[in-house]
Amino acid sequence: MQRIVIIGNGIAGITAARHIRKHSDDEITVISGETDHFFSRTALMYIYMGHMKYENTKPYEDWFWKKNRINLKRAWVEFIDFEKKQLHLQNSDHIEYDKLLLATGSKSNMFGWPGQDLKGVQGLYSYQDLELMEENTQGINNAVIIGGGLIGVEMAEMLHSRGIPVTFLIREKHFWDNMLPQEEAILIDKHLSKHGIDLRQETELEEILDDGSGKVKGIKTKSGETIDCQFVGLTVGVHPNIDLVKESKIETDRGILVDEYLQTNIPDVYAAGDCVQMKEPMPHRRAIEAVWYAGRMMGETVALTLAGKKTKYQPGIWFNSAKFFDIEYQNYGIVLPQCPEDSSAFYWESQDAEKCIKIIYKKDSLEVQGVNIFGIRNRHEVWDKWLREKRTLDYIIANLPEANFDPEFFKHWEGEIQEKFNEEFPDKKVGVRRKGLLEKILG
Amino acid sequence: MKAIRFTGLILFLFSLGLFLSSFFMSTLTLTEETFNSIVKSEHQETLKPVLSETFGNQYSTSIPFVKEINRAVEEVNAQAKTNQEWDKVIYDDYAGSLARASAEGFVPENKLLFFILIYVVGAIGSLMFILPQVKLNGPPGIKNNHIFHHALNNKGWMGILTGALLIGFYILLYFFPAYITNWIIIVDPLQKLINPSATSSQWFLYGFLYTFAVLVMGVRMLIKYRHSKYQIFRTISVMFFQLAFAFLIPEILVRLNQPYFDFKNMWPLDYDFFDAWHINTLTSSGGVGIFMFAWGITLFVVGVPLFVYFFGKRWYCSWVCGCGGLAETAGDPFRQLSDKSLKAWQIERYLVHGVLVFAVIMTIGVLYTFITGSNTIMGLDTYTYLRKPYGFAIGSIFSGVVGTGFYPLMGNRVWCRFGCPLAAYLGLVQRFKSKFRITTNGGQCISCGNCSTYCEMGIDVRWYAQRGQNIIRSSCVGCGVCSSVCPRGVLNLENRDEDGRFNQPILLGNDSFTVSK
C-alpha cells in the first residue's frame, strides 16, 4: 500500500482521489488550504447571487470522504522536499508521500496596473475571492470589470443581480473575441447590452485610482476617460498556479510541464488540471487547458497511473460550454476565432439574435471540424460521433434534428437552419425538417 | 412598476389581514328555534336540557360558543355511556352546524362584501405584485436571484411565519372546522353561484382556497419560467385540472344531482374510493355512478402502468394531480428546501412505500367488510384499526398538516415524496418499466449543483449528471426544473427506448479509458 498525496481539492485533485480509490487500496490524502471540502468552483457565482448556498455547491456530502477513506487535510503546503518525499506545511507539520499529485489550479492574472493592490480591486477564482467580493461590494454604487472573458461575464452577472451598475471594459473589438468568431462575439455583445451592461469595446485600463485611503475610487482608461467606481473586477484570464514549485527542481514554463502520462520531470510526481502545461500538446489543442472538463479528465486519467495502471492522457473530441446571462453556449470540436485558410464557416442566426449556430468545415471535402451553438442545446454524444466519423456539412445539416437536446415543446430551429443551408448550397440541398402535428397545434 | 408591486403587496396584506380577522367578526346566539331546526329530533330530548341555559346568550366569537356546544354533547354522551344507552350517544358534529346557523352580525350580513374584499382584492393585489416581474426581472430566463438571501425562501422569519399559518389553518380545517364558521360563510356566495341549492362547507372553503392558490401562484410560475415552453404547458395543465376537474366539475355534478366526483383523482391517493358509503353512492346513482366507479378503477389499473410506461409518472404528478398542482405553483418558492442527503432518501423509501403498504392493507380491510359484511378481521375492527387511523394519520396529518404546512420548512413536495401512496405506485412502474428518464448530456456537467438544489423531490441529480449517467429515480415527478436551471444544457426529460436507460457506456469525452455504469 503506497501513500498518495494530492495537493489541491479542486476538480482535478478530487477526481483523481475518487478514481484512485476505485482502482486501489492505497492511502489517499488530499491537502487544501482553500476549503475543508471539495466544492464546485464554477458555482461560486451562484452563491453570491443567492441561487445556492455554499453547502449546495459541494458535490459530495461530508461523510463521503471518510467512507471512501480519502483523508482531507486543511493546510497550505510551504515547500516540497522531493529528495525525502516530504511536504512541509505552513504549520510546520510534515507529510510523507510515495507518490505526489500537484493539482494547484490557477491564479488570476494581474498585469501590474497602477493601483491593482487597492482595496476593492480583485479577481475571482477562489472561495476566498468570493468572500472578499462579498465584502468589497457592500453598499457600492458602481463597478468596473476589466477583461472580457468567462469570469468577467460571470462577475458582471453577479453584480447585476445586486443591482450594481456595471461598466465592462474589453480590450478587443467584441466580447471574448480571442476565443469566439466575430459573429458569435457580437451576438453576446448585444445580449449583454440587453441586460443593461455598459460594454466598452476597445477600451484599455490605464490605472486604478486611489481615494486617498487605499480604496479604489475609479479608473482611468488609456484614452483618458475616468469612470467612478468603488469596485474593480480584474478578469483578464488566469495562469497556472505554480508558486509552490517555481523555485524547485520541477520543470516549469507557464505551467508545470508534464509528459503524456501527466508526469513531471521528477519521479513519482504528477500534475493535473489548470496548473499543467503539456510538453507536447496534441494537434489543435492548447498546452494549457484551464477548463473544468480538462481538469476532470486529467484527474480520471492520472488516477489510473497512480494506482499502478500506466495510462496516457488522451482527451477525446474537444468540447466546452458556458452561459452568458441567459444564453447557453456549447462547443464541440475546433472553432477558432479566425477561420483557417482551408476552412469555411456556415452560420445561422435567429431573428431575435439570441440563437445561432456556426459550423466550421473544410472547403474541399466539406468535412466538419467543429461547431459553436448558442441558445440551442445539442447532444454531446451525437456531435462526438459525427466529428469522429468526419461527417460532412451536408450530412450534419440533414441530420441536425438528431442532435437537438432542447426540452420538449421548445421551438425547433433545425428547419430554418436547413433552409438557410439549401439557399447557400443549392446543389447539396437537404430535406427540411417538417413540423409535427403537436408542434403545429402548440406553435 | 415598483409602486404597483408595493400597492399590490399592501392590498394582499390587507386581504390576508381581513381574512384572519374575519374569524372574530361575528357574534353567535343560539336560539331555541335554531336548535330545533338543526338538532335531530332523537337528540333534542337529551341535548336540550344541558344546552337550554345558553339559549339567547350572545357569544363574541366562535371559540366559547363551540366549546359550549361540545361541552354539552360530551356531557350527554358521558351520561349515555354510564347508563350504557349506546343508541343515545351523539356522533353528529353539531358544533359546526349550530355555529353556522347561529352566526349573526357583520360577516353573515355582508358575506359578499367580505368575499370581494378578501378574494377579489386579494387576487388583484397578488397579481399586481406578480405581473410587473415581467418587466422588472429582466429578459426571460432563470430567475433565482437572492432566493437564499430571502427570509421567505430560506427558512427565515417569513418562512417560519408562513409555515405556522399554514399548519394552523390545516389543523383548524381538519379537526376544528366549527371554529372557522366565518370563513366558511364568506365563500357561500360563490358556492351559491355554482350550485344555488348548496351551502358552503369546510371542504368547499378548502377546495376554493386551494384552487385560488393554484391559479394565482400559477400565474407567478408562468411568468417566472416564461422562457420554457415545457414549464408553461405544464403549469397551464395543473391550473386547468385543478380548476375544472378538482373544483368545478364535482360541484356541477352535485348541482345535476350526480355524485360528487373528481375524475382525475384515483386510489390510493383517493383513499376513500373503496369506502362502503362511496361505493354505495356510486353504484346507486345509475349509469353515471357506475361509469365513475369503473373509471376510477380503470385509472389506476390500466391508466397508471400505460401512461407511466410512455411518459413517466410526470403525466400525473406534475401535469394533472392536485397535490402536484399546488406544489408546482404555490410551492415553487420553496422547492430548494427539500433535503438532498442520502439519509433523507433512505427515510423517504421506507416511509413512502410503507404508506403504500398501509393503504393497500387498509383498503383490503375496508373491502372485506364491504363484501362480507363482517366488521372484523381476526377479531380486529377494520374501521377502528385500519380505516380510521389511515384517515387521521395519512389523510389528514401527513398529506395536509405536514404535507402542505411544511412547504416553507421542508420544501414543496413533502407529501408527494415521503407520504403519497400513489406516487409510490407510479414510482415503482417508472423505475422498472418506463421509457422515461432524465438524459445526461455526455460529459458537459460542471457539478455546479443547481439541479440538485432545485429538485423538489430531493433527488441529488448532480450525483448522476457529473458521472454522465441518466437519472432514473422512482421519485422523479418530471417537473423539468433541473433541466431548466442547468446552466450548461446537460439535462433533458425524455421518453426514449427502454434499452439504454441503464448500463450504456458513458460518454465523458475522455478517450484515455472507457467506462460504463
Side-chain angles (χ1 to χ4, degrees), chain B residues 179-346:
Chain B
Y179 292 100
I180 55 171
T181 297
N182 285 354
W183 294 348
I184 299 172
I185 291 173
I186 290 170
V187 293
D188 197 50
L190 183 70
Q191 171 76 75
K192 293 268 186 300
L193 188 71
I194 301 170
N195 183 4
S197 60
T199 308
S200 60
S201 66
Q202 87 207 73
W203 302 121
F204 183 81
L205 168 71
Y206 183 46
F208 169 69
L209 282 175
Y210 203 102
T211 310
F212 185 83
V214 168
L215 293 181
V216 171
M217 290 300 279
V219 172
R220 174 193 164 278
M221 183 81 183
L222 287 171
I223 291 172
K224 182 173 177 187
Y225 292 96
R226 65 188 184 279
H227 63 295
S228 167
K229 277 201 175 154
Y230 183 76
Q231 300 300 346
I232 290 172
F233 290 144
R234 197 172 64 78
T235 305
I236 290 171
S237 174
V238 292
M239 289 164 78
F240 166 76
F241 277 104
Q242 177 58 34
L243 177 64
F245 279 65
F247 186 61
L248 289 178
I249 293 175
E251 291 291 336
I252 292 168
L253 284 168
V254 173
R255 183 173 177 170
L256 300 173
N257 288 321
Q258 299 296 340
Y260 180 100
F261 197 77
D262 177 351
F263 282 94
K264 63 155 183 54
N265 204 354
M266 69 171 115
W267 184 89
L269 174 60
D270 183 10
Y271 60 91
D272 53 14
F273 187 81
F274 290 109
D275 279 4
W277 66 267
H278 192 246
I279 301 180
N280 288 333
T281 311
L282 294 185
T283 49
S284 63
S285 303
V288 177
I290 301 288
F291 171 75
M292 288 168 174
F293 189 57
W295 171 263
I297 291 172
T298 313
L299 259 191
F300 77 82
V301 175
V302 182
V304 166
L306 197 68
F307 287 119
V308 176
Y309 175 71
F310 286 109
F311 307 112
K313 78 197 247 188
R314 56 184 173 152
W315 80 269
Y316 195 74
C317 294
S318 64
W319 282 74
V320 172
C321 179
C323 305
L326 191 72
E328 297 294 345
T329 51
D332 178 68
F334 308 111
R335 56 172 59 250
Q336 65 283 352
L337 301 177
S338 54
D339 191 336
K340 311 305 179 326
S341 67
L342 189 66
K343 192 93 212 141
W345 184 21
Q346 285 161 348

Side-chain angles (χ1 to χ4, degrees), chain A residues 310-363:
Chain A
K310 205 169 177 193
T311 307
K312 273 187 197 171
Y313 175 57
Q314 289 174 305
I317 303 282
W318 168 261
F319 67 95
N320 201 2
S321 72
K323 191 174 182 187
F324 310 97
F325 281 80
D326 295 320
I327 298 187
E328 285 172 22
Y329 160 62
Q330 292 183 339
N331 156 233
Y332 301 103
I334 305 299
V335 180
L336 300 170
Q338 299 295 335
C339 194
E341 277 293 295
D342 62 348
S343 301
S344 192
F346 170 79
Y347 183 74
W348 167 90
E349 188 175 301
S350 66
Q351 286 277 316
D352 60 1
E354 298 268 297
K355 292 164 186 69
C356 75
I357 183 166
K358 154 118 1 128
I359 305 178
I360 304 296
Y361 60 94
K362 282 255 178 3
K363 279 177 187 163

Side-chain angles (χ1 to χ4, degrees), chain A residues 18 40 42-43 46-53 56-61 63-64 161-162 194-195 292-293 296-297 300-301 304 311-316 319-323 326 328 330 332 377-381 384 388 405-410 442, chain B residues 139-142 144-149 154 227-230 233 314 319 340-342 439-450 453-454 460 462-463 466-467 483-484 486-496 507-513:
Chain A
R18 281 182 41 239
S40 177
T42 51
Y46 299 113
I47 301 174
Y48 184 88
M49 291 161 70
H51 292 208
M52 284 190 267
K53 293 185 289 187
N56 303 118
T57 68
K58 292 196 269 190
Y60 302 92
E61 289 183 65
W63 52 258
F64 177 88
S161 79
R162 301 266 179 117
K194 200 169 159 183
H195 277 276
W292 178 268
Y293 307 117
R296 190 199 77 214
M297 287 186 229
E300 288 163 358
T301 314
L304 293 172
T311 307
K312 273 187 197 171
Y313 175 57
Q314 289 174 305
F319 67 95
N320 201 2
S321 72
K323 191 174 182 187
D326 295 320
E328 285 172 22
Q330 292 183 339
Y332 301 103
R377 293 176 174 180
N378 266 219
R379 269 177 220 277
H380 186 178
E381 200 185 344
D384 191 82
R388 274 173 210 274
F405 198 67
D406 270 340
E408 292 148 302
F409 309 116
F410 272 44
L442 298 175
Chain B
I142 286 301
N144 286 337
N145 287 348
H146 305 305
I147 281 187
F148 280 100
H149 301 149
N154 191 26
H227 63 295
S228 167
K229 277 201 175 154
Y230 183 76
F233 290 144
R314 56 184 173 152
W319 282 74
K340 311 305 179 326
S341 67
L342 189 66
T439 306
T440 289
N441 199 12
Q444 287 279 23
C445 178
I446 54 166
S447 302
C448 70
N450 274 296
T453 304
Y454 288 94
D460 190 359
R462 165 174 57 191
W463 179 274
Q466 64 193 354
R467 285 168 170 66
S483 165
S484 294
C486 176
R488 296 293 190 270
V490 174
L491 302 162
N492 198 11
L493 279 57
E494 294 190 303
N495 315 309
R496 299 182 87 189
L507 172 73
L508 286 167
N510 190 351
D511 289 354
S512 312
F513 59 97

Side-chain angles (χ1 to χ4, degrees), chain A residues 3-106:
Chain A
R3 292 164 300 180
I4 300 175
V5 175
I6 299 167
I7 303 177
N9 70 349
I11 179 65
I14 285 295
T15 306
R18 281 182 41 239
H19 282 255
I20 293 167
R21 177 54 71 237
K22 284 184 185 187
H23 297 284
S24 87
D25 259 337
D26 295 333
E27 186 185 305
I28 306 169
T29 303
V30 181
I31 305 173
S32 166
E34 188 183 15
T35 50
D36 287 335
H37 299 101
F38 171 49
F39 71 99
S40 177
R41 194 171 301 290
T42 51
L44 281 177
M45 63 183 291
Y46 299 113
I47 301 174
Y48 184 88
M49 291 161 70
H51 292 208
M52 284 190 267
K53 293 185 289 187
Y54 168 66
E55 281 65 36
N56 303 118
T57 68
K58 292 196 269 190
Y60 302 92
E61 289 183 65
D62 294 349
W63 52 258
F64 177 88
W65 310 107
K66 196 172 173 194
K67 184 175 173 240
N68 289 287
R69 290 170 292 126
I70 295 169
N71 309 313
L72 304 179
K73 186 149 182 72
R74 179 83 184 265
W76 293 103
V77 179
E78 191 118 292
F79 82 98
I80 306 166
D81 186 336
F82 293 111
E83 302 290 310
K84 289 189 186 156
K85 291 192 159 185
Q86 237 180 22
L87 306 178
H88 293 242
L89 306 182
Q90 252 176 18
N91 62 9
S92 64
D93 270 2
H94 296 198
I95 292 182
E96 294 182 351
Y97 67 84
D98 297 315
K99 279 179 182 159
L100 179 67
L101 176 65
L102 301 166
T104 50
S106 293

